Amino acid sequence: MCTTGDNGVIIILSDDEEDEEHDVSCSEASVVIVEVEDIKKNDVAISQAALDEDLVVTFSRRAEVLPHARYDCAIHPFTATDCEVGSPVASNQLICDQCFCYICDKLASVCVLWVQSGVCHCNSHKRSDFWNSQRSTGLLGGLKPFNLTLSEIDGHLRHAETLLQRFKQELAARFATFLKGRMFQEYGFNLPNQPGFVFDYTQVYEFVSSFLKHTDNQNGRAAAILRLGAAEQFTRHYQSSGVYVLPLPMANAYKAKVVLLQRVVASVQRQMVMDDFTSDFIQKLQEFYKNIILPAELKSMKNSLCVRPWDDVLLVSVLKGQNVSGVRKDKGKKDVLLEQSPVVQLRTELLQRQHRYRELCRYLRVVQTDDPKLVQPLHDLMPYFMCMDGGFISACHSLVPSVNPPASSFTPLIFLFYLRIFETAMAPKRAVGHMTELCHPDVPWEPIKGAVALKRAELVKFALRVQRCCSAVYADSQCWHRLLTLVNSPCGSVTALQAPSPQFLHEAKDVVISILLKPPGTNIQIPRFFQEVYPDQALLLLATGALGLRILSAALTPALPVLNAFQENQWALWWLWESLSSNVERLNSFSQELTQEVDNATGGDSSFSFLRAIILTLSSSARNWDQ
């Protein structure tokens, strides 16, 4: 191809693709720049035959030489050899002003090893594996052990290599000082019969710890390189034997190394899961760590960085729901989704941040771990993750199954938390790792995308099933108040419910008892006929009947806030009182408890005003039933 510009420069590019497939001599140039002299167009006569040619050169001038590797020099021929380092081959040592050293990546004129015997950089070229390895070693420097390619090196990694070299030098000096020890007198010890030195690793530990803290401010890949590079150095340290060690936490080199390596492993594990590392880069970090020779006290952490990348075949199939067992056979070998507990916790955190709750549940169901006790809190949170995915019914069933229900370990706050989620279809948007983190008061609640609140009948059944299996919720007055407020005020309305017919109230006693006294572990079923005529009233009576059984079993303190929920539906309160008459002795005790609470209540508290008015009537009814 030939192009001509206004400045009279002709650039000729070779388009002979066939030559590229063969071994092309290093001396063949791929670009020729021709500068033309200023001449008049009418000074050159072009024949018709010349005009018919594909390429016509009408004028030229001396080419401008651009920077190039020595083997591409157009002035001095280059003779390629595989690995000759003894002396220059042919005229390879000759250079022009623009020749660069292939190994040093700088002008050949400043390369101090250009013709030095044993290295002889003038013979280097890109078509030799030997010279390519030499170039990588020279340019990668301290990053060479990580098996990185030049294309992976950026400014951050270059800076990391410089920091790592400085760290190694300073660490070596500090460790040498540690090995020398210090006299007892320098520490103020008065031990005349105890000759020798005190060896304190604390200063070395503090230096490494400071360096690791500094890595937190580095780019992701650079930080990982620095942490593992530091680990390779300090894991070689040892404690001098037969000497006095200060009774300080990090004075012993062995103990300090364990703490430091745990810190490095935790940080790099987090990066492998949370950062956007490629699978290839993760593998290189893992290979580097495996090549570190760990002493006996650190052997337990040998496989600490065996972290699957996110694009791992088995992991991806589990997250997508294509594998529900967590086991895969690959070429006759069994691959099991087994991960360390910190890695499981990290994946759980990231999947929550990405709102991938369905995938998180699939992962937690099948993943195996080295420490199930540490991961158990995450399994306890699976109903919450189902809620965040909008699966309220599934969450209810998983909280109160017939065997070993997770709800049995509820606190009253956790119960109220789930009840609020099911009622409002809202939840706090934050990543959690334990059930105790659910009830944080300062976290705002937001609607759950695609979620629909449960119907009140489902809410009542959920609350009653939890009360069956959880004594803490069953005994708590606040939990009862929340349930009764829910059934006394349908849809948040303050309007009183119509009192049912006397016949319905009478028949409701047997229906409610039959529902509530079913054996533990069975589901709570509300007969359809019970809700046909008075649906809201039926749910109120069911919850009220459960409250009656609670009062008959033991004292309920405080009771006034619970009974205050009946303010708009006093007919239900009378129904409760009549239900309690089956145990007159307990009814009298309850009446006395209420009277005592009323007497102790603040005189200006208007929230219990309606109870003050009828408490004497209720107590009088109790005495009449007693007689």
Side-chain angles (χ1 to χ4, degrees):
M1 180 181 69
C2 176
T3 60
T4 306
D6 296 336
N7 59 356
V9 177
I10 298 176
I11 303 176
I12 303 175
L13 302 177
S14 173
D15 61 350
D16 191 354
E17 298 179 356
E18 295 181 357
D19 290 344
E20 297 295 334
E21 300 176 359
H22 303 286
D23 187 359
V24 181
S25 172
C26 295
S27 61
E28 292 178 355
S30 57
V31 179
V32 177
I33 299 178
V34 182
E35 298 182 3
V36 301
E37 298 179 359
D38 295 332
I39 59 175
K40 296 181 179 179
K41 294 182 180 180
N42 57 6
D43 289 345
V44 180
I46 305 176
S47 65
Q48 185 61 39
L51 291 174
D52 293 336
E53 296 291 335
D54 291 336
L55 175 63
V56 178
V57 179
T58 58
F59 39 81
S60 65
R61 66 181 181 185
R62 177 184 291 272
E64 179 182 353
V65 181
L66 300 176
H68 54 270
R70 170 61 185 89
Y71 56 79
D72 272 338
C73 183
I75 299 176
H76 302 290
F78 181 83
T79 302
T81 56
D82 186 37
C83 56
E84 178 58 47
V85 295
S87 60
V89 176
S91 60
N92 287 357
Q93 76 276 15
L94 301 179
I95 61 175
C96 70
D97 294 340
Q98 297 296 334
C99 281
F100 264 66
C101 174
Y102 178 62
I103 303 300
C104 302
D105 204 25
K106 58 186 177 182
L107 282 172
S109 57
V110 298
C111 174
V112 296
L113 304 176
W114 188 246
V115 293
Q116 180 173 327
S117 178
V119 286
C120 226
H121 284 186
C122 67
N123 294 328
S124 61
H125 59 94
K126 67 179 180 181
R127 292 183 177 85
S128 166
D129 292 339
F130 170 79
W131 288 116
N132 285 333
S133 177
Q134 293 293 311
R135 172 180 169 82
S136 297
T137 300
L139 295 180
L140 292 175
L143 301 179
K144 178 66 175 177
F146 289 92
N147 198 28
L148 299 174
T149 62
L150 291 176
S151 60
E152 293 178 291
I153 305 299
D154 57 12
H156 297 291
L157 291 182
R158 291 284 186 195
H159 181 60
E161 197 271 339
T162 302
L163 294 177
L164 194 56
Q165 295 299 334
R166 294 175 184 172
F167 168 78
K168 291 179 180 179
Q169 296 174 1
E170 180 65 20
L171 181 64
R174 290 177 180 265
F175 183 61
T177 302
F178 159 74
L179 291 179
K180 293 179 181 178
R182 298 174 65 181
M183 299 293 294
F184 282 110
Q185 291 75 12
E186 296 183 54
Y187 285 89
F189 295 159
N190 186 16
L191 301 173
N193 297 327
Q194 185 78 35
F197 296 88
V198 175
F199 291 83
D200 184 5
Y201 191 79
T202 302
Q203 291 186 355
V204 182
Y205 166 82
E206 291 176 348
F207 172 71
V208 177
S209 181
S210 176
F211 179 79
L212 294 177
K213 183 178 180 180
H214 179 67
T215 62
D216 295 339
N217 302 323
Q218 303 298 314
N219 169 267
R221 294 194 307 159
I225 293 292
L226 289 171
R227 286 162 178 155
L228 292 180
E232 181 192 29
Q233 298 299 310
F234 68 72
T235 52
R236 302 174 182 174
H237 292 178
Y238 54 90
Q239 182 73 41
S240 297
S241 59
V243 296
Y244 183 78
V245 180
L246 288 177
L248 298 176
M250 297 299 119
N252 185 292
Y254 295 142
K255 295 180 180 180
K257 286 193 300 179
V258 172
V259 174
L260 290 173
L261 189 59
Q262 287 175 342
R263 178 174 174 180
V264 169
V265 166
S267 298
V268 178
Q269 276 182 343
R270 184 172 187 83
Q271 286 188 275
M272 287 180 172
V273 176
M274 310 296 279
D275 290 0
D276 191 20
F277 286 170
T278 64
S279 301
D280 183 58
F281 184 72
I282 290 177
Q283 184 178 2
K284 290 179 178 180
L285 295 179
Q286 292 170 336
E287 290 297 328
F288 178 87
Y289 183 74
K290 287 181 181 179
N291 291 330
I292 297 177
I293 301 177
L294 297 179
E297 64 272 14
L298 302 176
K299 286 291 186 181
S300 61
M301 289 185 277
K302 184 65 178 178
N303 298 319
S304 298
L305 292 188
C306 294
V307 179
R308 294 175 184 264
W310 281 104
D311 59 359
D312 175 78
V313 175
L314 178 57
L315 179 59
V316 170
S317 64
V318 168
L319 293 177
K320 290 185 176 181
Q322 300 168 348
N323 187 318
V324 296
S325 65
V327 180
R328 172 178 175 266
K329 288 187 177 181
D330 183 19
K331 298 179 180 179
K333 295 183 178 180
K334 191 176 182 180
D335 186 15
V336 180
L337 188 58
L338 173 64
E339 301 204 283
Q340 300 173 70
S341 53
V343 176
V344 177
Q345 293 169 338
L346 290 170
R347 292 200 196 280
T348 301
E349 179 183 347
L350 183 60
L351 289 172
Q352 286 184 81
R353 291 182 179 180
Q354 297 174 342
H355 301 158
R356 298 163 61 185
Y357 296 103
R358 186 172 303 179
E359 294 175 78
L360 174 55
C361 291
R362 293 168 179 165
Y363 171 73
L364 290 175
R365 286 191 188 102
V366 303
V367 67
Q368 300 180 33
T369 182
D370 58 330
D371 194 342
K373 291 183 178 180
L374 289 179
V375 180
Q376 185 58 46
L378 299 180
H379 286 274
D380 295 339
L381 285 169
M382 284 181 62
Y384 168 69
F385 300 144
M386 294 177 187
C387 290
M388 298 303 292
D389 190 50
F392 287 176
I393 296 296
S394 299
C396 281
H397 292 327
S398 64
L399 283 170
V400 281
S402 57
V403 180
N404 297 326
S408 61
S409 60
F410 271 9
T411 64
L413 287 179
I414 295 295
F415 167 75
L416 295 174
F417 172 85
Y418 274 109
L419 192 62
R420 180 180 175 185
I421 288 182
F422 295 145
E423 181 185 4
T424 63
M426 299 176 66
K429 295 297 181 70
R430 66 191 299 253
V432 295
H434 198 279
M435 287 180 61
T436 55
E437 300 174 8
L438 293 175
C439 306
H440 200 287
D442 299 329
V443 179
W445 285 51
E446 300 177 8
I448 300 174
K449 184 178 180 180
V452 179
L454 291 181
K455 296 180 179 179
R456 285 195 314 120
E458 296 297 328
L459 292 174
V460 171
K461 289 193 289 184
F462 166 73
L464 296 179
R465 291 177 68 187
V466 173
Q467 289 175 344
R468 277 185 176 184
C469 65
C470 183
S471 58
V473 173
Y474 188 68
D476 187 73
S477 174
Q478 187 178 2
C479 293
W480 282 104
H481 175 264
R482 182 70 194 90
L483 172 61
L484 290 165
T485 300
L486 176 68
V487 293
N488 271 282
S489 305
C491 303
S493 173
V494 295
T495 305
L497 297 175
Q498 177 187 355
S501 65
Q503 181 180 358
F504 180 83
L505 291 175
H506 176 73
E507 294 175 350
K509 294 180 182 180
D510 293 335
V511 176
V512 168
I513 292 298
S514 66
I515 295 174
L516 296 177
L517 295 185
K518 285 187 176 182
T522 58
N523 291 330
I524 292 180
Q525 300 293 337
I526 303 177
R528 183 178 299 178
F529 72 85
F530 186 50
Q531 290 187 279
E532 284 181 346
V533 182
Y534 301 103
D536 294 329
Q537 291 86 339
L539 291 178
L540 173 55
L541 291 177
L542 180 59
T544 303
L547 174 63
L549 294 178
R550 166 66 183 85
I551 294 173
L552 291 175
S553 64
L556 178 65
T557 306
L560 288 181
V562 178
L563 298 183
N564 196 56
F566 293 94
Q567 184 169 356
E568 301 299 330
N569 299 293
Q570 296 184 22
W571 57 267
L573 186 59
W574 283 102
W575 186 85
L576 168 66
W577 213 259
E578 186 176 351
S579 301
L580 296 176
S581 63
S582 60
N583 188 334
V584 177
E585 182 180 354
R586 177 69 190 109
L587 178 59
N588 288 331
S589 299
F590 184 59
S591 299
Q592 295 174 4
E593 294 165 5
L594 286 179
T595 303
Q596 185 67 36
E597 277 194 53
V598 170
D599 293 340
N600 295 335
T602 306
D605 190 351
S606 61
S607 60
F608 303 138
S609 57
F610 98 98
L611 287 176
R612 296 174 190 276
I614 66 172
I615 194 66
L616 294 178
T617 305
L618 294 174
S619 299
S620 176
S621 299
R623 287 192 295 272
N624 292 336
W625 280 319
D626 189 19
Q627 295 172 357

